[in-house]
Amino acid sequence: MTSLPQAQFATLAIGATAQRIGISATELFNRLKRYGLVHNLLFDCYDTLHAESIDGVIWNIQEALRNWEMKEGGKR
């Protein structure tokens, strides 16, 4: 079960990452959800990620998404 702090963290992380790469938060959420990254990265790795700087969180999200999309031959 996802806690309120985890949900708030995920919202912040998705919003900040979307802004950094110039897309809407909804589009980023849908792309992350497609690969299970909302749950597997943002919620399951919450204890590690929430202790990082926002730049570190954004980098992790971008790298994970880039790796999954390249693996699937999707967007870069």
Side-chain angles (χ1 to χ4, degrees):
M1 182 170 197
T2 303
S3 69
L4 182 58
Q6 288 174 318
Q8 291 171 329
F9 168 77
T11 301
L12 172 72
I14 290 169
T17 304
Q19 184 175 17
R20 174 79 53 92
I21 61 177
I23 62 174
S24 73
T26 301
E27 180 182 345
L28 180 60
F29 172 80
N30 289 332
R31 287 169 63 187
L32 293 170
K33 187 176 177 185
R34 176 178 177 191
Y35 299 105
L37 293 172
V38 174
H39 179 75
N40 294 330
L41 177 63
L42 297 177
F43 295 151
D44 287 352
C45 298
Y46 170 78
D47 289 336
T48 302
L49 288 176
H50 89 279
E52 291 193 25
S53 69
I54 191 64
D55 287 329
V57 172
I58 291 168
W59 183 86
N60 277 288
I61 293 171
Q62 288 179 296
E63 284 298 302
L65 185 59
R66 184 178 300 120
N67 288 336
W68 277 98
E69 288 183 335
M70 286 178 66
K71 179 180 175 184
E72 295 290 319
K75 295 179 185 175
R76 293 187 79 188

